[in-house]
């Protein structure tokens, strides 16, 4: 029996008291608070976290650009760990299993889930808690809500469908990135854009998801691969991870710069920022027959996108929205882990900095300052 399996026998089934970074209000620093974490209910598992990525979606919660979220809130949509206990009726998972967490467990029954697309589930578990939407975190008897799988908690409770087993060969800290950035970015390139070898790709926004899209474009055999951002550090990361060209969008019209590098425009434009003008620029940079894929999560009050309809019609161009890289996590997580283990998807190279739990707030400040490819909170 493994050490983790012995450990889990001592805690399974009991409420735990642990320190968790909590967002108490918009634009406030995360506070490390002592919370009670309930045992898993039917259909749920409790996971002892190994690592959690610091995702831009959570930054939207911190800075208030995603409105209407319940508070106090435990953040984190990207992580990996070890199953500590399982609730009733859970099959195929047991304590000690190493898992990457999917933030889109889906209902498992609707038409979208049936076709392997839980990211667009028609009846997803309600936001803010466990499988029924009620929180498993408490403080002084008051509820503390979950932001998706709430991976910043050292122990979190999630629907069992969101726990995807991964092989022992992959380190769980880097595997955490498969839970959001890698699956969204690589999935956007491979599943949504369906990039083929030799086609050209531009990636707008070279944060964690955009850089994952660059990695996905390399896997697909795309060339050229153009990274677009306004920050020099991000463009350096893009080059290091496989971009053949970079465009500094702060130094003039990015569409003109892309068309100078790739005459006629690109076959695929991946938008890894939630920004209307980036969608417009990405669409305008497309070659005839090209596809623009929106991956970035737009803030609540993002203005409407304006597109020239003749470019859509005459050039037979396509604009696609893609949630979670149009992925099916039980299929795609092992696929991306397998590519990593084969040396074809160096996801460890995305990690710019590691943080301890009490540095979670610093991780957000670094993310907001544009200094990170991906930050990782390691428990
Ligand atoms: Zn995310
Ligand atoms: Zn569903």
């Amino acid at each position: 029996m493994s050490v983790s399996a012995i450990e889990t026998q001592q805690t399974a089934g009991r409420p735990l008291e642990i320190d968790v970074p909590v967002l108490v209000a918009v634009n406030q620093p995360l506070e490390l608070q002592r919370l009670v974490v309930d045992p898993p209910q039917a259909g749920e598992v409790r996971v002892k976290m190994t690592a959690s990525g610091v995702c831009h979606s959570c930054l939207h919660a911190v800075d208030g650009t995603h409105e209407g979220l319940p508070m106090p809130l435990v953040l984190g949509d990207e992580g990996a760990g070890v199953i500590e206990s399982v609730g009733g009726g859970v099959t195929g998972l047991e304590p000690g299993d190493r898992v990457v967490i999917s933030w889109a467990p889906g209902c498992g029954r609707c038409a979208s889930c049936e076709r392997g697309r839980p990211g667009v589930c028609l009846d997803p578990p309600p936001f803010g808690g466990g499988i029924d939407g009620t929180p498993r975190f408490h403080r002084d008897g008051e509820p503390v809500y979950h932001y998706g799988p709430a991976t910043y908690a050292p122990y979190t409770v999630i629907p069992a469908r969101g726990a995807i087993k991964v092989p022992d060969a992959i380190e769980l800290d880097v595997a955490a990135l498969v839970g959001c950035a890698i699956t969204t970015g690589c999935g956007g390139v491979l599943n949504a854009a369906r990039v083929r070898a030799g086609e050209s790709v531009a990636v707008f926004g070279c944060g964690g998801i955009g850089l994952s899209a660059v990695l996905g474009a390399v896997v697909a055999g795309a060339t050229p691969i153009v990274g677009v951002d306004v920050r020099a550090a991000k463009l350096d990361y893009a080059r290091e991870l496989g971009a053949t060209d970079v465009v500094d969008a702060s130094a003039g019209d990015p569409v003109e710069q892309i068309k100078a590098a790739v005459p006629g425009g690109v076959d695929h434009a991946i938008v890894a920022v939630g920004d209307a003008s980036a969608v417009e620029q990405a669409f305008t940079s497309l070659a005839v027959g090209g596809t623009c894929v929106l991956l970035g999560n737009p803030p609540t009050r993002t203005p409407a996108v304006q597109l020239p309809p003749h470019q859509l019609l005459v050039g037979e161009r396509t604009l696609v929205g893609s949630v979670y890289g149009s992925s099916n996590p039980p299929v795609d997580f092992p696929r991306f882990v397998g590519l990593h283990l084969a040396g074809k998807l160096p996801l460890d190279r995305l990690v710019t900095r590691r943080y301890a739990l009490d540095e979670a707030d610093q991780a957000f400040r670094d993310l907001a300052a544009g200094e990170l490819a991906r930050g990782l909170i390691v428990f």
Side-chain angles (χ1 to χ4, degrees), residues 2-328:
S2 69
V3 172
S4 56
I6 294 168
E7 220 174 278
T8 61
Q9 280 191 344
Q10 294 165 356
T11 56
R14 297 188 214 148
L16 299 173
E17 272 193 43
I18 48 168
D19 289 331
V20 179
V22 176
L23 179 65
V24 292
V26 163
N27 283 322
Q28 295 297 311
L30 300 186
E31 278 179 23
L32 210 54
Q33 295 187 341
R34 195 83 176 160
L35 303 186
V36 173
V37 188
D38 293 341
Q41 296 190 7
E44 297 176 341
V45 294
R46 192 163 63 186
V47 181
K48 183 180 188 206
M49 298 302 298
T50 303
S52 177
V54 182
C55 183
H56 210 277
S57 300
C58 293
L59 185 58
H60 286 322
V62 173
D63 68 15
T65 46
H66 269 179
E67 299 173 3
L69 296 173
M71 304 273 170
L73 190 60
V74 180
L75 298 172
D77 69 351
E78 176 178 280
V82 177
I83 301 238
E84 178 262 356
S85 53
V86 299
V90 173
T91 55
L93 291 170
E94 54 186 46
D97 282 349
R98 305 163 83 254
V99 295
V100 171
I101 292 177
S102 159
W103 56 249
C107 70
R109 297 176 307 273
C110 75
S112 290
C113 287
E114 287 287 344
R115 67 187 173 96
R117 295 290 296 282
V120 287
C121 174
L122 305 175
D123 187 23
F127 184 88
I131 200 164
D132 62 354
T134 61
R136 303 287 171 266
F137 300 111
H138 310 275
R139 184 175 188 239
D140 302 330
E142 295 297 316
V144 178
Y145 297 93
H146 307 214
Y147 183 91
T151 58
Y152 290 1
Y155 287 82
T156 189
V157 178
I158 60 166
R161 274 191 307 279
I164 313 297
K165 281 198 266 192
V166 291
D168 289 346
I170 188 164
E171 299 290 338
L172 280 180
D173 55 350
V174 293
L177 303 183
V178 174
C180 185
I182 287 288
T183 293
T184 304
C186 290
V189 168
L190 300 171
N191 298 334
R194 298 187 170 275
V195 174
R196 293 180 302 177
E199 292 183 331
S200 52
V201 175
V203 177
F204 284 70
C206 296
I209 288 173
L211 292 171
S212 298
V214 169
L215 290 175
V218 173
V219 167
T223 191
I225 301 170
V226 186
V228 185
D229 207 292
V230 294
R231 290 177 193 271
K234 300 276 183 77
L235 296 176
D236 289 342
Y237 292 137
R239 270 200 198 281
E240 285 167 23
L241 295 176
T244 56
D245 298 79
V246 294
V247 161
D248 179 353
S250 71
D253 182 0
V255 177
E256 279 175 22
Q257 294 186 67
I258 289 170
K259 289 192 170 173
V262 188
V266 287
D267 298 312
H268 304 275
I270 310 294
V271 187
V273 287
D275 181 82
S277 63
V279 176
E280 291 160 5
Q281 290 164 352
F283 184 80
T284 313
S285 71
L286 289 176
V288 167
T291 302
C292 175
V293 176
L294 174 60
L295 300 178
N297 197 352
T300 305
R301 295 181 190 270
T302 302
V305 171
Q306 300 205 357
L307 298 176
H310 67 275
Q311 281 191 13
L312 190 65
L313 175 74
V314 177
E316 291 197 344
R317 295 175 175 91
T318 307
L319 177 61
V320 181
S322 173
V323 176
Y324 213 178
S326 307
S327 67
N328 184 11

